[in-house]
Amino acid sequence: MNLLINELYKEDIKHAATLELPWKKLSGKTVLLSGATGLVGSFLIDVLNYRNAEFGSNTKIIALGRSRQRIYDRFGLQGDTDLFKAIEQDVNDDLCPELLSQNADYVLHLASNTHPLQYSTDPIGTIITNIIGLRNMLDFAADKKAERFIFASSVEVYGENRGDTERFAEDYLGYIDCNTMRAGYPESKRAGEALCQAYMKQRELDVVIPRLSRTYGPSMLKTDTKAISQFIKKGVDKENIVLKSEGNQLYSYSYVADAVTGVLYCLFYGKSGEAYNIADPDSDITLKDMAKAIAEYVGTEVIFEIPDATEAAGYSKATKAMLDSAKLKTLGWKADYDMKRGLTRTIDILRTI
């Protein structure tokens, strides 16, 4: 799919790329990102490419992914340029000589298994990307004396709400049953955050940790099996929305443009060693209300269906997970897309590509 020709998507990129941020920090610098073709990583690269094209930012981008050609295809390139380099690298493997020969001023580890089918069919890969893959990226950043490292963590580190808070602040720690297959994702994100703290102490690396809420948007992968992604796909195809539970789960969500600007605020303004929640109260919604909103927008219905065993194994057991983003807002960040605008925008964009 070619998002870059869609006018609405280009508006989103321009909006993020023209925020009043200290972009000069990236001028003449090199930014390395894992997960370059993922939901968040690809949007962030689009923003950096826009800054280079429209403002002459002269920021070199090193994009890591499992397929070099997929990277080129995603960003409409025939090959590397002076300001863009694609490197085929599974971050869980030993880093290749091509990557090790590069330098980077900022390193962002955005690669991760982030949806239920991956959790249930590749639980090993889910864990090691958040630990071994992270370690490889931390070693690279420390060896190259990078100015700052970003580890994209998750709302899932908070576990289940114990009923003692309405929203998860950064110092909240809920319950996770670690002796389950599904615990691999949240526990490895927790371990990853601890690993970042170890590298700060032992390798003197500057690290900031954005904790993303459930993120969605037009840059989502076709293989994404999160409930919201499935709902959106049905909406795009004007099919009935399939709800595989009663739909009472209440979660925080973020449109990808807001998630990326949150990451940028962490990159530019975040305090070293701190974690910051990225979420907005206007995007808190239950699954059934979300399904209803999409169905009403596209003129279809919501139907209920029992998930199969493989799907169910990857589902979160948390029924209420809302983030408190007050800490990030003290840095100046705010969300610009509420739930209704984000959903309808995503559907409208995906319908045209």
Side-chain angles (χ1 to χ4, degrees):
M1 63 181 182
N2 190 354
L3 286 170
L4 299 174
I5 64 173
N6 182 276
E7 292 302 321
L8 286 176
Y9 186 74
K10 288 193 287 186
E11 285 179 11
D12 290 343
I13 296 301
K14 181 179 179 180
H15 171 74
T18 54
L19 291 176
E20 292 187 9
L21 290 169
W23 296 104
K24 287 185 178 180
K25 289 185 177 182
L26 302 183
S27 180
K29 302 288 188 175
T30 297
V31 178
L32 183 146
L33 307 92
S34 67
T37 58
L39 169 66
V40 174
S42 62
F43 190 99
L44 179 51
I45 289 175
D46 285 334
V47 170
L48 297 178
N49 280 335
Y50 184 96
R51 293 288 310 178
N52 281 339
E54 300 297 326
F55 296 95
S57 292
N58 194 35
T59 301
K60 183 176 180 180
I61 302 160
I62 301 177
L64 305 188
R66 293 176 179 174
S67 168
R68 193 189 308 265
Q69 189 58 51
R70 192 179 304 130
I71 296 173
Y72 291 146
D73 291 345
R74 171 58 181 81
F75 299 105
L77 298 170
Q78 299 300 314
D80 292 341
T81 68
D82 289 343
L83 293 177
F84 187 96
K85 183 174 183 60
I87 297 180
E88 194 164 298
Q89 173 71 59
D90 185 328
V91 295
N92 298 327
D93 298 336
D94 292 341
L95 301 188
C96 65
E98 183 181 14
L99 175 54
L100 292 174
S101 68
Q102 305 297 315
N103 289 306
D105 300 291
Y106 299 95
V107 178
L108 294 86
H109 183 49
L110 308 177
S112 186
N113 286 357
T114 58
H115 60 88
L117 192 58
Q118 286 182 314
Y119 303 153
S120 61
T121 60
D122 185 23
I124 296 173
T126 297
I127 294 171
I128 65 174
T129 302
N130 294 331
I131 299 178
I132 305 302
L134 171 61
R135 183 200 67 183
N136 288 336
M137 290 293 95
L138 286 165
D139 277 336
F140 177 88
D143 290 344
K144 303 298 181 177
K145 301 189 182 304
E147 295 179 32
R148 172 152 282 188
F149 186 96
I150 294 289
F151 173 48
S153 190
S154 166
V155 58
E156 296 226 18
V157 300
Y158 296 109
E160 296 181 37
N161 192 315
R162 296 172 294 183
D164 53 352
T165 186
E166 180 69 11
R167 298 181 179 279
F168 299 147
E170 284 80 1
D171 60 354
Y172 183 85
L173 291 175
Y175 169 77
I176 296 175
D177 181 356
C178 63
N179 195 31
T180 64
M181 183 278 297
R182 180 57 177 78
Y185 182 73
E187 290 286 20
S188 60
K189 283 293 190 183
R190 283 185 171 187
E193 292 195 15
L195 188 61
C196 288
Q197 296 294 331
Y199 271 78
M200 288 186 62
K201 172 66 176 178
Q202 198 165 332
R203 299 292 306 273
E204 299 182 342
L205 187 61
D206 183 318
V207 182
V208 180
I209 301 169
R211 290 176 179 160
L212 280 76
S213 54
R214 288 165 170 82
T215 306
Y216 69 98
S219 55
M220 67 186 194
L221 299 176
K222 291 181 178 180
T223 55
D224 195 328
T225 58
K226 291 193 294 289
I228 187 171
S229 302
Q230 295 301 304
F231 295 174
I232 289 169
K233 290 175 189 176
K234 293 291 187 182
V236 171
D237 295 334
K238 290 194 173 182
E239 298 177 359
N240 290 334
I241 309 299
V242 180
L243 190 56
K244 299 190 176 184
S245 69
E246 293 183 357
N248 295 320
Q249 301 94 319
L250 177 58
Y251 300 143
S252 289
Y253 295 88
S254 294
Y255 185 63
V256 65
D258 286 332
V260 166
T261 58
V263 170
L264 286 168
Y265 270 85
C266 289
L267 179 68
F268 289 129
Y269 297 122
K271 182 179 177 182
S272 184
E274 294 291 314
Y276 295 87
N277 290 336
I278 301 177
D280 181 69
D282 289 334
S283 290
D284 295 341
I285 195 170
T286 62
L287 285 181
K288 63 182 179 183
D289 286 343
M290 180 201 305
K292 181 180 178 182
I294 294 174
E296 288 180 349
Y297 183 65
V298 301
T300 58
E301 297 180 354
V302 178
I303 61 175
F304 293 84
E305 182 179 296
I306 298 174
D308 61 35
T310 301
E311 289 178 306
Y315 290 167
S316 171
K317 298 299 185 291
T319 58
K320 184 177 181 180
M322 296 187 295
L323 293 180
D324 181 345
S325 58
K327 185 177 177 181
L328 181 62
K329 289 176 180 176
T330 64
L331 303 182
W333 177 84
K334 68 179 181 67
D336 291 297
Y337 303 80
D338 62 21
M339 197 72 207
K340 181 179 180 181
R341 185 183 182 204
L343 285 175
T344 57
R345 202 169 182 85
T346 300
I347 291 170
D348 290 344
I349 291 172
L350 292 179
R351 276 180 174 171
T352 65
I353 59 176

